[in-house]
Amino acid sequence: MGFLDSNYLFENDSARYLYNSIKDLPIVDAHNHADLKEILNNENWHDIWELEAASDHYVWELMRKRGVPEEKITGKASNKEKWMALAKIFPEIAGNPTYEWIHLDLKRVLGIEENISENTAEKIWAKSKRILAEPEFKPQKLLQQMNVEIMCTTDNVFSLLKEHQQIRKQLERPLILPTWRTDTVMNLEEPEWLESVEQLGENYEEDISNLKGFMRALQKSHDHFEKLGCVAGDHGFFEPISYPVEFNQAEEIYVSALSGVSLSKDEIKDFKAFLLMEIGKMNQKSDWVTQFHIGTVRGYREYLNQNETQGDGGDISTYKLEIAKNIKYFLNHFDSQLDIVLYSMEPTHWFTLSTISRAFPNVYLGAAWWFSDSPHGMEKQLQQISTVDLYYNFAGMVTDSRKISSYSSRTEMFRRSLANVIGRALERGQIPRITAFNLVGWVSYYGPKELFFEKISKI
């Protein structure tokens, strides 16, 4: 088997046959971090660094691990200097999925077969410069070539979505929809909370000096997102918190927070529990999917927080958090009434999440996320799903990508991993052949499209 050849990730012939049945299916991506301005401007990328690494903290972290100075990662060094630094250490990151993703991008998107190293860096730089300068090599065209059918950006709750209004007039395919992200107005213990709340009030023309005004602004935001085709809320937190909290109690906490009063841990939890339930009610009324991204410990490496130019890369995961107890009230309140997708970046939580998903017909497991979206992580999670829950109730792959070039490579890695897992089961006599072919098609495309985008014909 050659590097990234046609048998990449396959252990048997059944896996290859299954993959061939799904490899050309369109991509539907319910969660990514696309730069909509980049897509809207639709200009050529200037070089390989801009395409592959300028916005990718996965790359930055690995460069730091191999001793590359920050100047050549997020600093003021030229893009070529940064690319040469990355290429020099690239063979040293083999085994990490980033090594495969970027090589897949080069081979599948740019048609460059050279493996990245110090010896090939100059050649790849020059060759990619020529390719990226071609008139047809622009964001919108690339998305179409990758067969991206529908994609959802991640948008802050206070956004007015001006780019979305423009892109809908300019581009028919892929259909690009916003996703309602509420983290910044929920996490009132964070420094940016007050600024985010004020921005929400200003953008949606509501007096947010009391909780009623804040909730009116939040509802206006929700309505605006819905008008522009939003089909999902996206809510990230370290630990989800849900239990009944009275409006008057939440209002006292909210006003105190606006006034700069120091809040207790219990007060912070009470406000979050109140707001999460209200968000759930809004999503239910609009028939949106509600996505929970659980377990991220933000800013763990404090050095990276001291200088904004150094960006992301200091977040971690931990097994030490409570999930089952904390979302019990939310899940039971919305039992069979609201589609809920649970993502966890920590593999030790998958068993708990899969048993929760099994207990509720409206709860789905999200794709192996962040540190787990590798062939190893994907296969491990897929096997866990089949052990406890059902593939047909899996929410499917999301790219979570910050760069357009990786939409197809991340999707390919998932579909190959899926084909390998199901192919193994087929070879072991666990699944009939026709059932296996139907299953991989459902998980790759038809299931996620039905879950997230069933309303699309109404938009």
Side-chain angles (χ1 to χ4, degrees):
M1 182 182 297
F3 177 53
L4 301 181
D5 68 6
S6 61
N7 291 314
Y8 168 55
L9 297 181
F10 300 152
E11 296 174 0
N12 53 56
D13 288 340
S14 292
R16 182 168 62 253
Y17 296 143
L18 289 171
Y19 177 68
N20 285 336
S21 74
I22 60 176
K23 65 183 179 68
D24 295 324
L25 287 173
I27 294 173
V28 289
D29 183 9
H31 174 77
N32 62 69
H33 298 273
D35 181 352
L36 198 52
K37 290 182 180 179
E38 179 182 61
I39 298 172
L40 190 61
N41 292 338
N42 201 34
E43 297 176 352
N44 291 81
W45 289 276
H46 297 93
D47 54 64
I48 189 69
W49 175 266
E50 184 181 30
L51 179 73
E52 288 292 337
S55 60
D56 192 343
H57 64 77
Y58 286 68
V59 175
W60 304 346
E61 289 173 277
L62 298 178
M63 292 178 75
R64 290 173 186 137
K65 284 294 292 185
R66 297 309 305 151
V68 177
E70 198 66 36
E71 177 74 9
K72 293 184 178 181
I73 304 174
T74 63
K76 296 181 180 180
S78 68
N79 281 5
K80 185 172 185 179
E81 290 174 309
K82 292 175 180 178
W83 165 252
M84 299 301 285
L86 173 61
K88 183 176 181 179
I89 61 94
F90 213 76
E92 300 165 13
I93 70 169
N96 187 282
T98 300
Y99 183 83
E100 296 163 50
W101 283 325
I102 292 183
H103 273 118
L104 282 169
D105 292 348
L106 259 65
K107 293 175 185 295
R108 309 291 199 257
V109 177
L110 299 176
I112 295 175
E113 294 296 329
E114 286 84 3
N115 297 331
I116 303 169
S117 70
E118 185 176 17
N119 296 328
T120 61
E122 186 69 51
K123 184 176 183 180
I124 293 173
W125 173 268
K127 187 180 289 189
S128 61
K129 283 277 282 186
R130 290 194 298 272
I131 295 169
L132 292 173
E134 293 176 2
E136 292 295 301
F137 209 100
K138 296 180 179 182
Q140 294 181 18
K141 187 68 174 180
L142 183 56
L143 287 170
Q144 293 166 358
Q145 290 174 346
M146 290 178 173
N147 203 16
V148 179
E149 181 180 345
I150 311 170
M151 54 181 283
C152 295
T153 61
T154 303
D155 302 276
N156 203 304
V157 63
F158 56 68
S159 174
L160 288 171
L161 305 177
K162 292 181 179 179
E163 288 83 10
H164 275 278
Q165 296 179 51
Q166 296 175 50
I167 201 72
R168 291 288 292 277
K169 297 176 183 178
Q170 185 182 122
L171 189 64
E172 291 185 5
R173 185 182 173 106
L175 181 60
I176 303 177
L177 307 176
T179 304
W180 200 56
R181 186 83 181 223
T182 57
D183 305 14
T184 56
V185 297
M186 178 177 284
N187 298 328
L188 73 175
E189 77 279 15
E190 297 294 337
E192 65 268 19
W193 178 80
L194 180 58
E195 181 181 350
S196 298
V197 169
E198 290 176 342
Q199 190 70 61
L200 176 69
E202 179 180 339
N203 286 356
Y204 287 95
E205 299 179 342
E206 286 289 346
D207 177 7
I208 49 83
S209 61
N210 56 60
L211 186 56
K212 288 183 179 179
F214 168 76
M215 294 306 299
R216 286 195 300 270
L218 199 63
Q219 184 64 64
K220 280 187 175 182
S221 167
H222 198 281
D223 293 343
H224 185 59
F225 273 64
E226 185 170 19
K227 287 178 183 178
L228 288 171
C230 182
V231 294
D234 197 346
H235 318 291
F237 20 58
F238 172 63
E239 280 188 330
I241 300 168
S242 68
Y243 49 82
V245 176
E246 295 294 330
F247 183 91
N248 291 342
Q249 183 182 355
E251 183 165 42
E252 289 180 11
I253 298 168
Y254 175 81
V255 172
S256 295
L258 282 183
S259 303
V261 175
S262 180
L263 302 175
S264 68
K265 290 183 179 180
D266 286 342
E267 287 175 318
I268 292 171
K269 287 182 178 180
D270 287 348
F271 181 78
K272 290 183 175 182
F274 167 81
L275 190 55
L276 185 60
M277 293 304 299
E278 296 303 309
I279 286 169
K281 293 171 186 176
M282 291 181 188
N283 290 351
Q284 179 187 15
K285 184 178 179 181
S286 296
D287 194 25
W288 286 4
V289 176
T290 297
Q291 301 176 92
F292 285 178
H293 285 81
I294 301 170
T296 310
V297 183
R298 300 284 183 184
Y300 187 80
R301 188 184 178 201
E302 295 178 357
Y303 169 76
L304 296 176
N305 301 328
Q306 296 170 5
N307 187 340
E308 291 182 3
T309 63
Q310 291 170 341
D312 297 320
D315 302 336
I316 69 163
S317 71
T318 176
Y319 76 94
K320 210 169 184 180
L321 69 153
E322 177 56 54
I323 296 177
K325 179 182 177 181
N326 284 356
I327 60 174
K328 181 180 179 181
Y329 180 74
F330 187 93
L331 296 181
N332 280 281
H333 182 90
F334 294 106
D335 188 351
S336 302
Q337 303 298 316
L338 174 69
D339 287 326
I340 300 166
V341 179
L342 304 177
Y343 301 88
S344 172
M345 65 193 299
E346 177 62 47
T348 54
H349 298 139
W350 287 346
F351 199 89
T352 296
L353 292 179
S354 63
T355 60
I356 290 172
S357 177
R358 177 176 173 140
F360 292 87
N362 59 311
V363 177
Y364 301 76
L365 290 179
W369 174 43
W370 204 328
F371 298 121
S372 297
D373 59 352
S374 63
H376 171 75
M378 291 171 180
E379 292 198 15
K380 184 177 179 182
Q381 191 204 29
L382 287 167
Q383 289 168 335
Q384 174 64 54
I385 291 170
S386 66
T387 300
V388 178
D389 200 21
L390 298 174
Y391 286 125
Y392 269 73
N393 287 89
F394 177 50
M397 172 64 177
V398 295
T399 70
D400 195 33
S401 184
R402 285 162 174 76
K403 57 189 182 188
I404 291 173
S405 57
S406 279
Y407 285 18
S408 60
S409 59
R410 284 177 177 247
T411 301
E412 178 180 342
M413 183 182 283
F414 171 77
R415 291 180 178 177
R416 285 180 176 272
S417 298
L418 171 67
N420 195 53
V421 170
I422 305 305
R424 192 185 302 136
L426 181 58
E427 293 279 332
R428 294 171 62 180
Q430 294 177 282
I431 302 177
R433 180 170 292 271
I434 186 62
T435 300
F437 276 90
N438 290 337
L439 192 156
V440 295
W442 179 265
V443 173
S444 296
Y445 173 70
Y446 299 103
K449 185 173 181 180
E450 180 176 287
L451 171 62
F452 285 98
F453 307 113
E454 188 177 17
K455 292 174 56 181
I456 227 70
S457 60
K458 301 176 184 178
I459 296 173

